Every structure is written in structure tokens, then in C-alpha cells.
Amino acid sequence: MDSKSKRIAKNTLFLYMRMLFLMVVTLFTSRVLLDKLGIEDFGIYNVVGGLAMMFIFFRSSLSNATQRFLNVELGKGNADGAARVFAQHFTLYLAISAAVVVVGETVGLWFVYNKLVIPADRLVAAVWVYQFTLFSLCSTLVGIVYDSTIIAHEDMNVYSYVGIFEGLAKLGIAYAISISPFDRLVVYGLLLMLLALSIQCFYAFYCSRRYAECRIKILWDRQLLKDTSSIVGWNTVGTAVYAVNDSGVNILLNLFFGPAVNAARAVSFQVSNAVNGFASNFFVSVRPQIVKSYAAGDDEYLMKLFYNSSKFSFFLLWIFCLPLCFAIDPILHLWLKQVPEYTGIFTVWILAYSLVNVLNNPVWAIALAVGKLKRYIGIGSGVFLLVFPLAYAALKFGASPVAVFAIMVAVRLCYLVVVLHIIKAYVNLSFRRYFADVVKPVALVVAVSLAVSCALHAALPASLPGTLAFIILTVVMTSLCVYTLGLRATQRAYLLNIIKKKINHG
């Protein structure tokens, strides 16, 4: 068990290196892009690219299914089974990519021309961006088997190095559009497509050389396809609902308020995604162990991972969300030359949504490991789908765009309660232990750190040095709250032991 924990820690470290670099690059390139493209073109890229990426729910559902089946076979030590999973899923993804092209070039393209609010002189550029994004999506769909294989083998160092390359390439793209004599929006979409294609080609080359199961062949095993289809089918329903809520809400904002509000939402999500990487990268390291523990029948370690990953994921995100929520306006004005209206308040609400959402990640991992998704997706998605109609109704009655994000947070909280009750039927989940090990320490850390942050914010001056001092003090204070109030005595002792070993070896 200790070796498994060390592997999780090592993989988390690699992913953190990747995430920190990408966070800096993302924040810098967003500033350049907003400046060079302008608020209108930046908003157009977000809404048009988002429309094409609505099809990405296929990628998410397929990736989850592939990782699940590969982890199960690898957890059992069945190399032949893993090879069959790889071949069957590769065949399936080729067929799905072809279907996505058909739908994207008909229904999707019709929507761009006839429904989105895009200035007439930018429509041609918007269509080019849509085509580039659709092609990127198809290459990514086919490459899912390779991404999933790397994660299933917990080979996170390669995943991290590719992420660093991706960040450097995006820096180059930001510079290229700033000097391009052509339409900058079109050039940006083209270069992003070429980057996505090159990354998928590398993953295919690496996996085919390193992993025995990665051999391309067309396989149509009816039983395996039936098992896969059950996971993929229900997973697709769930991620389709997520796509409707995400891209659908973005389209609603476009229809009611125009591209400027889409730009504000896009910037807000850039900030949220950068911060959310701290928690999500930790969970990427944990998820293979959750599935493998379930496949091996190690229930004790499975539930230990579940409770601890729920709590730690929240804490990792909270440490960075808290100071950002207080200091978001000065940070945005320091970061961007132009700050679209509503960006600050959007960011605060999106961070709140991320904090609720991060608690669902371990629940979803167990649901995937169990493989019985009918009730989980059927009931949970029914709750989550309320976001779109509630948001539409609120905007129709004249609500501000901020109301959409408040609705997202409230519905996601309800969703979390519902899915916890659903997975209790399949694993040894104790609500008493969940409250003691997750809810209680999380509530205690949030209450104390929030009170101290309010006092610090009121005491420090509203200047750049004051803001920097507030952020540093809040991160330190929140970390201390997590250590003293959020960790059990055994966890604190384990952490201190690791630090002492590092110091002694150093």
C-alpha cells in the first residue's frame, strides 16, 4: 500500500510540473490573445470553437471507458485482454470519428450560419475556425486509445513532458498571430489544429513502441463491444448532458448578450482551469489506483482512496481559490490590457462551481470501476440537466448573466448528494465516515480560513503590494488550516516524516 501511495505522489509531482508550466503559459497567452484578437474575435473563437467541441463529450466518455477497461485488465495482469481492449476501442473510435464529421458538417455548420450571433464580416473566419476545431476533435478522438493507455500504465512523466511541449508551442502560436499578416482568428485556429495533430501523432508513436497491447488492427468482438457499449453509452449520455450545460449555456449567453459576454466567460474559465489543475492532476494520479483496487477486490484500500482523495482534492483547490476570489479584480487588471465586463464575478462563481465539482471526481471513478452506470447516469444526469432550462428561464425573465453561474453551483450540489446515494448500493460507502472524513474537515477549514481571509482583506491596503501580501498570507494561512484542521494526526505524522526524509537526504 505504501508503494502505491508513493507512486501516486510521484505521478502527482510530474503532473504538477506540467500543470504549473501550462498555467503560466495559459494565463500569458490568454492575455496576448485577448489583446491581439480583440474582445469580439476572442468571444467568437470561444463560442464557435465551443460549438464544435460540444462533440468532445464523445472524447470524454470514450476516454473514461478505455481507461476503465484497460485498468481492469492490467489490474488482473491480463496482457491479452488489454490488447483486445485496445484493438476494439481503436476500431470503434474510427467509426465514431466518421459519424462526428457527418453531424458536424451538417447540423453543426447549419447552426453556425443560421443561429449564432456573429457579425457578418466575421462569419467566414468563424466558419474556418469551426472546421479547424472539428478536424482537431477527430484526430483527438482517434488518439484516445493512446492517451488512455499512458494513463492506465501511470506513465505520467511522458504525459507531463508532452504538456510542456504543448505549452511552449502555444507560446509560439501567440507570437505567430501577433506578427501574422493574415486574418489572426483563422491563423490561430489553423495553428491549434496542427498542434493537436502533432501531439496525437507522438502519442501513437510512443505507445506503439513501448506497450505490447498497442498494435493497430480492426477488431469487432461482439461481447467486448457489448460490454464497452454499455459503459460508453451511459457515459456518453452523462457527458452529453455536461456538454449541453457547458456549451449550451455559453450559446445562451451569446444569444442574450452577444460575443462580449462570451469573452468574459472564456477568460473566467481560463483562470478556473489554471487553478483547477492542482486538484484535477492529483486525481488523474489517483483514478487508476481506484479502478485497479476495485478490480483486485481490495475494498479497504479502495474506500481509503475514496475518502482521502475527496478531501485532498478539495483542499488543493481551496488553497488557491480563496485568495483569488478576494483579489480577482486587481489580478485581472494587472493580467489583461482589456478586461471584459463581468469577468471578475464570473470567475468567482466558476471557482465555486469547481470546488463543488471536485468532490464528484472520486464518486465518478468508483462508478466507472463498478461499471453499472444506468442508475448513476440516468438519475444523476436528470438532475444535472436542470441547469440549461433553469438558466434559460432566468435569462428569459431578465436575470443578469451572473444568475446562470449561481444556478450551476446549486444544481451541482444537488447532483453530488444524489450520486453519493447511488454508489452506496455498490460499494461499502458509509455516510457517517464520509461526513467525518470529508465533510467535517472541509467545512472546518473553509469556515476558519474564510474568516481569517476576510480580516486580512479588510486590514491590508488596496494596492499592488497589499494585494500581493494578501495572496501570500492567505495561501500560507490556508495551508496551515489544512494541516492543523483538515488532516488527521496520522496524516500529519506521515507528511512530517516525508519532509524530514527529504531534508536529511538533501
Side-chain angles (χ1 to χ4, degrees):
M1 189 177 297
D2 188 55
S3 64
K4 293 178 181 178
S5 299
K6 287 180 179 178
R7 187 166 191 176
I8 291 173
K10 178 184 175 183
N11 287 333
T12 302
L13 179 62
F14 275 117
L15 291 170
Y16 268 26
M17 291 169 54
R18 174 183 185 270
M19 180 274 305
L20 283 169
F21 183 79
L22 286 177
M23 180 177 69
V24 174
V25 170
T26 298
L27 295 178
F28 176 76
T29 53
S30 296
R31 180 181 188 274
V32 174
L33 291 172
L34 188 58
D35 178 45
K36 300 303 180 183
L37 292 178
I39 291 178
E40 185 176 83
D41 272 9
F42 191 73
I44 289 172
Y45 178 81
N46 179 253
V47 71
V48 173
L51 178 62
M53 295 305 283
M54 280 186 71
F55 297 104
I56 203 66
F57 66 80
F58 283 112
R59 184 190 188 284
S60 176
S61 59
L62 294 172
S63 179
N64 287 332
T66 302
Q67 287 179 42
R68 188 264 178 190
F69 282 101
L70 283 173
N71 279 322
V72 167
E73 297 300 334
L74 293 173
K76 295 177 180 178
N78 186 358
D80 291 338
R84 293 185 67 80
V85 167
F86 180 89
Q88 176 63 82
H89 286 205
F90 181 83
T91 305
L92 182 62
Y93 301 165
L94 282 176
I96 290 175
S97 296
V100 167
V101 170
V102 172
V103 176
E105 294 293 354
T106 53
V107 178
L109 201 56
W110 171 85
F111 196 88
V112 172
Y113 274 113
N114 296 282
K115 294 298 179 181
L116 290 184
V117 179
I118 299 172
D121 61 329
R122 302 305 296 147
L123 183 58
V124 172
V127 171
W128 275 111
V129 167
Y130 176 80
Q131 297 289 355
F132 293 144
T133 308
L134 193 62
F135 187 82
S136 298
L137 173 60
C138 290
S139 68
T140 305
L141 284 173
V142 176
I144 289 172
V145 285
Y146 299 108
D147 298 8
S148 300
T149 301
I150 290 174
I151 294 174
H153 282 276
E154 301 178 65
D155 203 355
M156 302 305 179
N157 55 335
V158 174
Y159 198 63
S160 301
Y161 297 147
V162 172
I164 291 173
F165 164 77
E166 182 182 1
L168 291 171
K170 286 183 176 178
L171 279 176
I173 289 172
Y175 174 73
I177 66 166
S178 67
I179 62 172
S180 174
F182 307 106
D183 189 306
R184 290 176 175 178
L185 182 59
V186 175
V187 171
Y188 181 58
L190 173 63
L191 293 178
L192 283 183
M193 179 195 70
L194 294 175
L195 175 61
L197 186 60
S198 63
I199 289 174
Q200 293 307 319
C201 287
F202 172 78
Y203 278 145
F205 175 77
Y206 178 84
C207 290
S208 63
R209 296 291 296 271
R210 184 166 179 93
Y211 306 123
E213 67 267 22
C214 295
R215 298 293 177 264
I216 295 177
K217 64 178 181 179
I218 302 301
L219 176 67
W220 206 257
D221 184 319
R222 289 188 177 182
Q223 184 57 48
L224 181 56
L225 186 62
K226 180 180 177 181
D227 295 339
T228 300
S229 298
S230 176
I231 298 290
V232 171
W234 284 109
N235 203 330
T236 299
V237 172
T239 46
V241 170
Y242 184 88
V244 168
N245 284 337
D246 185 45
S247 297
V249 164
N250 197 25
I251 291 169
L252 279 181
L253 292 174
N254 174 264
L255 297 177
F256 279 91
F257 302 102
V261 171
N262 294 122
R265 178 188 177 277
V267 173
S268 302
F269 268 93
Q270 294 276 10
V271 177
S272 174
N273 290 340
V275 176
N276 198 42
F278 284 93
S280 61
N281 281 323
F282 168 74
F283 186 68
V284 168
S285 299
V286 173
R287 184 165 62 181
Q289 288 292 341
I290 288 179
V291 179
K292 289 175 182 177
S293 297
Y294 179 82
D298 192 350
D299 293 338
E300 181 181 351
Y301 188 58
L302 171 69
M303 297 316 297
K304 179 182 177 181
L305 275 177
F306 173 72
Y307 296 122
N308 286 340
S309 63
S310 298
K311 179 173 66 175
F312 294 154
S313 295
F314 185 93
F315 287 153
L316 287 168
L317 192 55
W318 177 250
I319 288 171
F320 296 96
C321 283
L322 182 57
L324 271 178
C325 288
F326 280 93
I328 189 60
D329 286 332
I331 289 174
L332 288 173
H333 283 91
L334 181 66
W335 171 35
L336 302 174
K337 292 183 179 180
Q338 305 176 72
V339 181
E341 188 181 3
Y342 294 112
T343 303
I345 190 64
F346 281 5
T347 303
V348 172
W349 276 105
I350 292 169
L351 290 174
Y353 176 83
S354 297
L355 286 164
V356 175
N357 190 50
V358 78
L359 292 172
N360 180 61
N361 287 339
V363 186
W364 175 234
I366 287 184
L368 275 177
V370 172
K372 298 177 181 178
L373 299 181
K374 184 177 181 179
R375 289 185 67 237
Y376 185 99
I377 298 295
I379 299 173
S381 294
V383 174
F384 194 35
L385 192 58
L386 291 173
V387 170
F388 188 81
L390 289 175
Y392 177 78
L395 295 179
K396 195 70 175 177
F397 281 102
S400 118
V402 179
V404 170
F405 299 96
I407 290 169
M408 289 170 60
V409 173
V411 172
R412 198 61 170 174
L413 270 171
C414 296
Y415 174 88
L416 177 63
V417 174
V418 169
V419 295
L420 279 170
H421 278 86
I422 292 171
I423 68 159
K424 190 178 185 301
Y426 304 113
V427 295
N428 188 28
L429 170 64
S430 164
F431 283 111
R432 178 177 293 180
R433 186 177 172 189
Y434 187 82
F435 180 83
D437 288 0
V438 182
V439 177
K440 184 179 177 180
V442 161
L444 191 58
V445 168
V446 168
V448 173
S449 58
L450 187 59
V452 176
S453 295
C454 288
L456 283 173
H457 191 257
L460 292 170
S463 61
L464 179 58
T467 300
L468 291 175
F470 170 79
I471 292 172
I472 294 170
L473 288 173
T474 302
V475 169
V476 172
M477 176 275 304
T478 307
S479 301
L480 289 173
C481 285
V482 168
Y483 179 79
T484 56
L485 303 175
L487 302 183
R488 295 193 301 271
T490 53
Q491 292 170 336
R492 291 195 295 270
Y494 182 76
L495 183 60
L496 282 176
N497 187 46
I498 291 176
I499 294 173
K500 288 177 182 178
K501 285 182 179 179
K502 293 296 182 184
I503 292 174
N504 292 334
H505 285 309

